[in-house]
Amino acid sequence: GNTMDSNEGALNGINDEISHGKIKNLHSGHRARMRKKFMEHGIFCFSDHEILEMLLYSVIPQKNTNNIAIEMIYKLGGLEGVFRASVEEIMRAGGLTERAALYIKFIGELKSKLVIDSQEEKCSMATTTEVGGYCCRVFNCLGFERFVLLSLNADKSLISCDVICDGNDNSVYVDVRKVVEIAMKNKASAVILAHNHPGDTTNPSTNDIAITNRIRIVMKAMGIELIDHIICSGSSYTSLADRGLMQI
């Protein structure tokens, strides 16, 4: 009886040591090595799950974020899928708190903004290819529908890209007055409308065509040309102008 009690006590002592000491030190040591790896070699030596793992350090102080990151990337379809997912989807995939999921979503939106900002200066919008490529980058990582206005100067260079509104998975309400106000504020000579379809189609809906031509009529009365309306999905896009759908 005493021997069994003694063994149980020793086992409990080991478990306590693992729970409160060695495992914590193991995670701490791993994180220190990861940070050192980043300092010495930069982000391009990391796999996608390691990048996400390091991001999670800021919002998950002690858990093994490596396993969480691997599971999230598997469930959401890669690192881009993680950033594209909604806050609720991020929470479910990683078992994260809302605060942690918001942090990951914020990083994803920040990434998109930095890409857009870096290309905005002297960005030409003279061809459909230039406009379509730019718009696909604007909507990268979004899991919901967003409607934006591109304001252009007289030589078709980009002045500003402004968000008009956000919607749910497959619909968005567009305030025509807001579109006009932003174009006027930017002193635009011409504008381009753009929005994304979170699914896999870039085909315009009847409503897409109707709102385009409604805005075009209003813009024409203000002396501003509506050049095109681009619909994006992933890296694909459709130009309503090229398809002859912008007739007044």
Side-chain angles (χ1 to χ4, degrees), residues 8 14 23 43-44 52 67 80 105 114 141 160 163-164 183 190 214 224 231:
E8 287 178 355
I14 292 170
I23 292 298
I43 199 169
F44 293 101
L52 182 56
N67 292 342
E80 182 175 335
K105 187 64 181 176
L114 292 174
C141 291
S160 178
V163 175
I164 301 301
R214 184 180 169 198
I224 301 172
I231 301 174

Side-chain angles (χ1 to χ4, degrees), residues 12 63-64 78 87 113 115 150 167 170 184 203 216 225 238:
N12 288 336
K63 285 185 183 177
N64 181 348
V87 171
K113 176 173 170 48
V115 170
L150 309 183
N170 54 22
M184 296 294 288
N203 289 326
R216 185 174 183 182
E225 181 187 6
T238 288

Side-chain angles (χ1 to χ4, degrees), residues 4-22:
M4 184 175 294
D5 291 343
S6 175
N7 289 340
E8 287 178 355
L11 182 59
N12 288 336
I14 292 170
N15 287 337
D16 287 343
E17 184 179 12
I18 291 173
S19 298
H20 303 297
K22 289 187 176 179

Side-chain angles (χ1 to χ4, degrees), residues 97-115:
T97 63
E98 184 180 56
R99 174 177 171 269
L102 278 169
Y103 177 77
I104 296 301
K105 187 64 181 176
F106 182 84
I107 295 295
E109 294 255 358
L110 175 62
K111 177 182 78 72
S112 297
K113 176 173 170 48
L114 292 174
V115 170

Side-chain angles (χ1 to χ4, degrees), residues 133-175:
Y134 176 85
C135 290
C136 286
R137 293 189 291 273
V138 166
F139 299 122
N140 184 38
C141 291
L142 288 184
F144 54 88
E145 194 162 322
R146 171 169 286 177
F147 196 99
V148 304
L149 178 73
L150 309 183
S151 296
L152 313 182
N153 60 24
D155 66 0
K156 302 297 186 290
S157 292
L158 183 65
I159 298 170
S160 178
C161 174
D162 295 282
V163 175
I164 301 301
C165 53
D166 289 336
N168 55 31
D169 289 346
N170 54 22
S171 66
V172 64
Y173 169 75
V174 180
D175 184 343

